[in-house]
Amino acid sequence: MPENEAVLSFLEARRSVMVRDMVEPGPDAASLDRILKVATRVPDHGKLTPWRIKILHRAGQEALGARLGEIFKRDYPAANENKIAVEAERMTRAPLVLAVVSTPDVNHPKIPVQEQLLSAGLVCYNILCAALAMGYAAQWITEWPAYSPDVVAHLGHNPETDRIVGFVYLGTAREQPTERPRPAVEDVARVWEG
């Protein structure tokens, strides 16, 4: 079977860019369309598409940020105004944010919710890889908003069943990231024979 050396080399060197190191520009409309097409080419048992992607340009980022500030103030009444302002600006740290929400069919007779959740995680990973391959900066982050039922509901989803699997921040790298330590294969992979 022929190898695709360029793809393997990319995956061997793939490195997220910290959101604090992102600047304008983010992906233009054509680039975003391509990123989203790649994002949806993931394993999806039963073709359920058990995920949705919210595209947050500046207006969406600010609207979600305002809600984050309200939630944080409610949940942490002792927080000072500076901390609340930081939380309200959380989504505006990069030119574009994609929120990926797992929307499983919890009553499906054959396909477990876990498989559907993993498919949503792969959407985040494909967004990350596609953006990086196109020369953009990208980082997949959860942080507290991903675990907040209020945020899930604010994005128009059911907090009883749906989960935010990630916010993928996209922009341009201020500078290229340095490599970080990776696990040695022999530390994480073993032959198992029963």
Side-chain angles (χ1 to χ4, degrees):
M1 176 174 279
E3 289 185 7
N4 189 325
E5 189 57 40
V7 172
L8 291 171
S9 294
F10 168 78
L11 292 172
E12 288 171 338
R14 188 210 63 77
R15 178 74 171 96
S16 297
V17 175
M18 302 289 282
V19 70
R20 68 174 176 254
D21 295 325
M22 289 184 201
V23 294
E24 293 282 354
D28 59 22
S31 297
L32 178 58
D33 185 60
R34 191 169 188 195
I35 288 167
L36 294 173
K37 284 178 180 170
V38 170
T40 60
R41 291 187 65 91
V42 295
D44 175 13
H45 187 184
K47 300 180 211 141
L48 300 178
T49 60
W51 25 259
R52 295 295 178 266
I53 304 166
K54 300 292 186 187
I55 302 166
L56 305 176
H57 294 288
R58 191 57 68 192
Q61 292 169 329
E62 290 173 354
L64 181 55
R67 184 67 182 127
L68 296 183
E70 293 168 1
I71 294 167
F72 193 83
K73 185 174 184 175
R74 179 197 70 204
D75 292 350
Y76 299 94
N80 65 43
E81 290 303 314
N82 286 340
K83 181 61 177 159
I84 294 166
V86 166
E87 296 303 327
E89 294 169 1
R90 176 179 293 282
M91 291 294 143
T92 63
R93 298 180 290 183
L96 180 66
V97 179
L98 300 178
V100 179
V101 183
S102 171
T103 57
D105 177 348
V106 296
N107 298 311
H108 197 283
K110 289 178 160 181
I111 303 170
V113 169
Q114 180 176 337
E115 282 189 35
Q116 298 176 61
L117 179 64
L118 291 169
S119 183
L122 291 171
V123 169
C124 288
Y125 187 67
N126 269 12
I127 291 169
L128 188 74
C129 286
L132 293 170
M134 295 172 70
Y136 292 103
Q139 187 178 22
W140 172 8
I141 299 176
T142 52
E143 300 176 313
W144 73 265
Y147 304 102
S148 168
D150 291 326
V151 176
V152 172
H154 190 69
L155 288 174
H157 295 279
N158 181 352
E160 296 296 318
T161 58
D162 302 347
R163 300 287 175 266
I164 297 168
V165 293
F167 297 98
V168 185
Y169 289 77
L170 303 170
T172 297
R174 186 185 335 265
E175 59 187 46
Q176 289 306 308
T178 57
E179 187 52 70
R180 68 171 177 82
R182 303 291 174 167
V185 172
E186 61 272 12
D187 291 342
V188 296
R190 297 273 193 283
V191 173
W192 188 84
E193 296 177 341

